[in-house]
Amino acid sequence: MKRIFDVILSVIGIIILSPFYIIVSLLIWSDSKGGILYKQERVGLNGRIFKVFKFRTMRPDSFSKGALTVGSRDPRITSIGYYLRKYKLDELPQLFNVLFGEMSFVGPRPEVKKYTDLYNDEQKKVLSVLPGITDYASIKFRNENDLLSASDTPERLYIEQIMPEKLDLNMKYIKDNNVFKDIKIIFDTFYTIIKH
């Protein structure tokens, strides 16, 4: 049932948002050099590597300067990218990841291999379900970039504090999830974005 829900909702979303995709693509193209989409390798179901789609919000080759984005005003972020990130609009191309069966609407956010390699055996259970566009951790850590920017050692903060908390929330989701809870998490995500 979850897969049917994902397919129907992703198709509807892609159709409705197609004019928006075109507008955002033109804005990105006119704002800075580089492609419209950013594709990054992430770890998905059962440890399988896939490419997550996002609207490009950073300048070319930014990932080579670090995997973490530190603060909403990270100098690597483009002008239009700032607003796309602020309202989580850069995540919308992931509807195609959902349609292709690589992601779900709700599930643990897919992580880069650099960090999944640090998971202990218990934490690796989060890889037993499809990753999602949103989850409990996305809601709780909506201001993650600001938390990182306030730290003198952002990567250490992420690895030692933020990531373990995210994984605990992911485990909570895995132990008790259904379509109705997914719908609630989706609405809670929209509410959090609008509220802030």
Side-chain angles (χ1 to χ4, degrees), residues 69-166:
T69 306
V70 181
S72 59
R73 288 302 187 182
D74 186 312
R76 296 173 296 170
I77 299 174
T78 63
S79 299
I80 185 65
Y82 167 76
Y83 294 100
L84 293 176
R85 281 173 172 262
K86 181 177 180 179
Y87 298 105
K88 300 296 183 183
L89 300 176
D90 59 319
E91 310 280 357
L92 290 178
Q94 287 165 40
L95 289 175
F96 287 95
N97 288 118
V98 175
L99 182 62
F100 299 155
E102 298 166 324
M103 292 179 65
S104 178
F105 268 93
V106 180
R109 285 294 297 159
E111 189 62 270
V112 295
K113 191 174 186 297
K114 173 181 179 179
Y115 297 123
T116 60
D117 285 345
L118 301 176
Y119 291 0
N120 60 37
D121 290 341
E122 182 68 16
Q123 292 169 335
K124 286 178 182 177
K125 290 180 181 178
V126 302
L127 302 178
S128 66
V129 298
L130 277 175
I133 294 177
T134 188
D135 60 355
Y136 290 127
S138 298
I139 297 169
K140 180 173 181 179
F141 289 101
R142 190 194 179 283
N143 64 335
E144 179 183 316
N145 286 340
D146 295 327
L147 293 174
L148 294 172
S149 67
S151 172
D152 292 331
T153 54
E155 187 160 43
R156 182 176 178 180
L157 172 66
Y158 183 76
I159 292 172
E160 296 182 0
Q161 295 184 40
I162 295 176
M163 190 171 76
E165 282 193 53
K166 282 185 172 183

